[in-house]
Amino acid sequence: TALSELDARFPVVFDANDLAASKIDVTIQTASIDTNVEKRDGHLKTADFFDAAQFPTIIFVSKAIAKEGDQYKVTGDLTLKGVTKEISFPAAIAGPVKTPSGDMAVGVEASFKLNRQDYGITWNKAMDSGGYVVSDEVNVNISVEAHK
């Protein structure tokens, strides 16, 4: 399920010459989940999945950003449904560059997988034809343009 739009705060500090001073922090309002299917969105916000009432935010706080070839490795703590786990993922970070409007911008692109069971998201339902409705493996895709 793609989450098309989220209400998120996404501060980025990036200095390619001083990665120790760089950080990427994300706070997503859980209730802002929008998959363009109202019934599914309602279910995702319940205790079966994200439990937006009890856990109103999903938070990622970076601990380290390291250069690895032509990409970066971002390591940090992801807190989802009250469970915090350290994760690492590859990211393409471009910039800072001066935009046509004159401000400075940094782009971040990343894709990785999480196991939803690791965060206590266990709801599922067997299908009549075999298999289950929800995979344990979740694809996470991030595409952000941050402006100063």
Side-chain angles (χ1 to χ4, degrees):
T1 299
L3 304 181
S4 59
E5 292 193 25
L6 299 170
D7 176 10
R9 177 186 62 82
F10 201 105
V12 174
V13 175
F14 181 71
D15 182 344
N17 298 316
D18 185 7
L19 291 177
S22 300
K23 69 186 299 179
I24 300 170
D25 294 349
V26 181
T27 300
I28 298 169
Q29 299 303 312
T30 310
S32 72
I33 291 169
D34 180 358
T35 68
N36 292 319
V37 178
E38 190 175 328
K39 187 174 180 179
R40 178 174 48 212
D41 295 344
H43 192 199
L44 288 172
K45 294 172 189 177
T46 70
D48 284 345
F49 288 94
F50 295 108
D51 198 352
Q54 185 172 348
F55 304 102
T57 57
I58 299 167
I59 299 171
F60 175 78
V61 177
S62 67
K63 293 177 169 180
I65 300 173
K67 183 82 168 141
E68 288 193 349
D70 61 349
Q71 290 198 334
Y72 294 85
K73 179 180 177 183
V74 178
T75 300
D77 289 331
L78 175 64
T79 302
L80 177 58
K81 201 173 179 181
V83 177
T84 301
K85 295 202 171 282
E86 184 177 277
I87 63 170
S88 293
F89 55 89
I93 303 174
V97 297
K98 192 171 195 172
T99 68
S101 62
D103 59 340
M104 299 303 287
V106 172
V108 180
E109 297 276 342
S111 294
F112 56 95
K113 297 178 188 302
L114 292 176
N115 186 322
R116 66 187 180 91
Q117 299 271 349
D118 292 345
Y119 295 90
I121 301 172
T122 59
W123 181 90
N124 219 339
K125 185 175 180 181
M127 294 187 295
D128 292 341
S129 59
Y132 290 92
V133 173
V134 183
S135 172
D136 286 344
E137 190 172 82
V138 177
N139 294 318
V140 178
N141 299 301
I142 300 168
S143 180
V144 172
E145 184 176 301
H147 293 258
K148 184 172 184 180

